[in-house]
């Protein structure tokens, strides 16, 4: 199996390349962690399909020549697309400024609700309301995590795999049983939490440690002089 490089963190640009289709974005949700912030949003994309003359008569050509409207020549439809973006939490203020300029310029979002989770939902709640004029609706991080995991396991093909570093191939995808419970969920963020999930509504934290991504980032920066999380990931992918 070919190796896959890690996606880079956001270096907030002058253009809207990172936040694709932001002009048609409909709803945002943010997970603000101690190290990284993740944003999910969806947008609508318009597609046009040409209407061809299947019967062989000249009605389409005649319509074109007689000045028929463009809507007679194309069928327009819309689809929804999900977008996921991550960046280092220390850039949260610049990110909110970027969203304010690109979103509030086209319509008023004052008084609307944005879903926010993670420890930063409390730390940056006032900043989000000040920058965007949105009401912050805080969600429980673990409840969101487990609901999302259950959805993926039930609906997305090849979402589960076994990994063997010395195997060929290293990744072996497995099919999920309709009954996905019980399972252990190990959530690695700035720290690590181990959750025992027994049903959609029954789960508990059975272990964890404060040693996680934050420790990796701190020690890695001291030992290697790396300046960013993605630089450390690149080094780790080539290390022993």
């Amino acid at each position: 199996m070919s190796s896959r490089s890690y996606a880079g963190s956001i270096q907030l640009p002058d253009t809207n390349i990172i936040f694709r289709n932001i002009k048609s974005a409909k709803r945002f949700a943010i997970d603000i962690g101690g190290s990284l912030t993740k944003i999910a949003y969806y947008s609508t994309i318009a597609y046009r399909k040409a209407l061809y003359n299947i019967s062989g008569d000249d009605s389409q050509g005649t319509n074109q020549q007689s000045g028929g409207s463009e809507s007679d020549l194309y069928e327009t439809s819309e689809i929804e697309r999900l977008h996921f973006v991550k960046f280092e939490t220390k850039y949260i203020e610049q990110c909110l400024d970027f969203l304010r300029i690109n979103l509030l310029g086209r319509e008023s979002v004052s008084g609307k609700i944005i879903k926010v989770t993670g420890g930063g939902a409390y730390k940056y709640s006032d900043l989000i309301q000040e920058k965007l004029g949105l009401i912050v609706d805080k969600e429980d991080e673990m409840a969101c995590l487990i609901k999302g995991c259950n959805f993926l396991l039930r609906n997305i093909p090849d979402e589960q795999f076994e990994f063997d570093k010395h195997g060929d191939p290293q990744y072996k995808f497995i099919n999920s049983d309709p009954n996905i419970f019980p399972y252990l969920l190990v959530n690695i963020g700035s720290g690590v939490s181990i959750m025992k999930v027994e049903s959609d509504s029954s789960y508990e934290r059975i272990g964890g440690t404060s040693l996680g991504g934050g420790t990796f980032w701190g020690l890695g920066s001291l030992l290697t002089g790396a300046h960013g999380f993605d630089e450390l990931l690149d080094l780790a992918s080539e290390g022993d």
Side-chain angles (χ1 to χ4, degrees):
M1 173 174 281
S2 60
S3 61
R4 181 170 176 239
S5 60
Y6 291 95
S9 292
I10 289 182
Q11 302 291 325
L12 286 174
D14 295 328
T15 66
N16 61 358
I17 294 176
I18 296 298
F19 287 91
R20 296 185 182 278
N21 304 313
I22 193 171
K23 296 302 182 183
S24 60
K26 300 296 182 182
R27 184 175 300 175
F28 284 78
I30 308 179
D31 173 23
I32 307 175
S35 304
L36 299 175
T37 292
K38 286 75 66 178
I39 296 180
Y41 66 97
Y42 85 90
S43 63
T44 55
I45 302 173
Y47 279 90
R48 293 199 311 171
K49 182 174 71 174
L51 299 177
Y52 295 100
N53 180 15
I54 300 176
S55 63
D57 60 41
D58 195 34
S59 58
Q60 289 286 8
T62 303
N63 184 47
Q64 249 180 322
Q65 295 173 6
S66 61
S69 67
E70 188 173 314
S71 61
D72 295 331
L73 305 176
Y74 295 94
E75 180 180 80
T76 304
S77 60
E78 283 190 345
I79 65 169
E80 289 77 32
R81 177 170 292 178
L82 278 171
H83 303 267
F84 301 94
V85 179
K86 71 177 177 71
F87 58 93
E88 296 173 15
T89 298
K90 65 182 179 181
Y91 296 120
I92 183 68
E93 188 165 355
Q94 293 97 311
C95 177
L96 294 177
D97 286 335
F98 180 86
L99 293 176
R100 185 187 70 244
I101 293 170
N102 285 274
L103 289 181
L104 272 62
R106 63 186 174 88
E107 64 175 284
S108 175
V109 295
S110 179
K112 293 185 178 180
I113 293 174
I114 185 170
K115 297 286 187 178
V116 184
T117 188
Y122 296 88
K123 182 177 180 179
Y124 297 104
S125 176
D126 291 341
L127 182 65
I128 293 172
Q129 293 186 39
E130 174 191 339
K131 294 284 188 181
L132 302 182
L134 294 167
I135 299 172
V136 175
D137 187 6
K138 304 178 186 70
E139 295 285 347
D140 181 78
E141 182 176 2
M142 287 303 159
C144 291
L145 176 68
I146 290 167
K147 287 179 181 178
C149 187
N150 292 344
F151 175 85
L152 292 176
L153 291 175
R154 286 173 170 147
N155 296 281
I156 308 301
D158 294 336
E159 184 61 26
Q160 303 177 73
F161 61 84
E162 297 174 346
F163 173 75
D164 181 356
K165 182 176 181 179
H166 303 291
D168 184 20
Q170 290 182 325
Y171 296 89
K172 181 182 177 183
F173 288 93
I174 57 178
N175 294 321
S176 175
D177 186 276
N179 182 16
I180 61 176
F181 307 110
Y183 67 84
L184 290 179
L185 175 59
V186 181
N187 184 45
I188 304 176
S190 297
V192 177
S193 292
I194 303 175
M195 308 293 294
K196 180 183 179 183
V197 185
E198 298 185 278
S199 72
D200 285 304
S201 58
S202 176
Y203 54 88
E204 62 176 327
R205 188 179 189 274
I206 61 173
T209 172
S210 59
L211 302 180
T215 306
F216 164 75
W217 196 343
L219 288 177
S221 297
L222 290 172
L223 292 170
T224 67
H227 298 293
F229 193 75
D230 290 307
E231 189 177 349
L232 282 170
L233 290 181
D234 290 337
L235 290 172
S237 66
E238 300 173 0
D240 185 345

